[in-house]
Amino acid sequence: MSQQTPVTRVAPLWQEWMARWPTPADLAAAPAGDAVRHWGRLGYPRRALRLHAAAVEMVERHDGDVPSTSEELLALPGVGEYTAAAVAAFAFGERIPVIDTNIRRVEARAVTGVQFPRPSLSAAERALAAELLPHEDHVLWNASSMEFGAVMCTAKAPACGECPVLDLCAWQQAGAPAYDGPARRGQAWAGTDRMVRGKLLAVLRERDGAVPHDDLRQVWDDEVQRERCLDSLVADGLVDLVGDDSFALPGHALAGDVRCGW
């Protein structure tokens, strides 16, 4: 849930999810559409489908338990390198570097001597993180490095005057040169397909059963973009086509609704 989403937005929904589905088996037993519905407005709703699919796989392959190694976690749907490492390290104590945006920035400045890392995680960064990871207190190292980047060595306003490792910082020793790598672009939102998809899903979440196509046409005036987004939601498995001209969240068509077979 916290991938690309601030924790302050995640926390209330996470608490609701844990109350509703406290175990992987509980989530796996629910329709996939329930996961999409209760994902709310966190964005990137395919994460909800992948989380549901991961729960199903935990039940089928791991007796309903969350796998304890990064290798097993990586095999789950929707689980990437960072999530696998974080769960393995923080939940099960595996000695593995957890490389998030904050840790990348701290190590880029303190060791490599640049203001920001490159946009994509490199093999050199992975090697550096593995080299720096201590054999003892490695879980604490991961957590404290992450927190240090979040509250002290921040992207926009690093508190260098209060930094406890200022004298060791390669970036400061080099005169704090400005970043000169590839452009670091923020993600646009207004008017994008992501925004339109979110608006369509919001209507579907609020309804029980199928929603007529005419109702969804009221969501966005640009017909080409709206229909493209609706088609992409169906293709992604986030929405079912019901009958000839209605739509519903997966598994949420009511008795009497006729679901299209494709």
Side-chain angles (χ1 to χ4, degrees):
M1 283 184 168
S2 60
Q3 293 172 354
Q4 304 182 60
T5 307
V7 172
T8 52
R9 288 184 56 205
V10 168
L13 279 170
W14 177 81
Q15 291 170 337
E16 179 190 325
W17 268 57
M18 294 308 296
R20 184 181 301 275
W21 300 305
T23 70
D26 293 319
L27 178 56
D34 281 4
V36 177
R37 182 185 296 277
H38 293 286
W39 195 254
R41 296 181 178 272
L42 284 182
Y44 302 102
R46 278 177 289 186
R47 292 181 295 176
L49 286 182
R50 290 168 181 162
L51 188 53
H52 184 272
V56 171
E57 189 155 328
M58 289 180 213
V59 170
E60 294 177 349
R61 298 185 55 189
H62 300 282
D63 297 322
D65 294 327
V66 177
S68 60
T69 69
S70 55
E71 183 178 0
E72 292 174 312
L73 287 160
L74 268 174
L76 295 174
V79 176
E81 179 182 353
Y82 166 71
T83 299
V87 174
F90 298 135
F92 299 106
E94 181 175 331
R95 184 180 177 273
I96 184 171
V98 182
I99 311 174
D100 80 333
T101 300
N102 290 310
I103 288 179
R104 291 184 67 207
R105 184 172 58 254
V106 168
E107 295 182 352
R109 289 174 179 169
V111 181
T112 311
V114 295
Q115 184 181 19
F116 297 114
R118 296 295 174 117
S120 298
L121 181 64
S122 67
E125 286 181 274
R126 290 187 180 93
L128 175 62
E131 179 184 348
L132 294 174
L133 188 69
H135 286 276
E136 302 293 336
D137 294 330
H138 44 84
V139 175
L140 179 61
W141 170 271
N142 281 319
S144 58
S145 299
M146 195 178 296
E147 187 74 1
F148 184 73
V151 302
M152 178 74 69
C153 193
T154 62
K156 294 182 178 180
C160 298
E162 304 170 24
C163 178
V165 294
L166 178 64
D167 293 342
L168 303 175
C169 178
W171 181 53
Q172 284 293 327
Q173 290 176 358
Y179 177 74
D180 63 356
R184 302 167 67 247
R185 298 178 181 175
Q187 292 184 328
W189 171 251
T192 63
D193 283 6
R194 281 183 56 218
M195 187 188 79
V196 177
R197 280 164 56 103
K199 286 179 173 292
L200 291 166
L201 278 176
V203 173
L204 291 160
R205 286 193 190 99
E206 292 166 359
R207 307 280 190 92
D208 291 323
V211 176
H213 198 170
D214 281 344
D215 290 2
L216 295 174
R217 290 188 176 101
Q218 308 305 311
V219 169
W220 194 249
D221 291 336
D222 185 330
E223 179 180 4
V224 172
Q225 184 180 24
R226 182 189 64 240
E227 296 307 307
R228 179 177 69 240
C229 292
L230 191 54
D231 287 346
S232 72
L233 290 170
V234 173
D236 287 344
L238 290 163
V239 172
D240 286 343
L241 176 62
V242 181
D244 293 330
D245 206 30
S246 295
F247 299 86
L249 296 179
H252 278 263
L254 299 177
D257 293 335
V258 180
R259 184 179 185 278
C260 180
W262 58 270

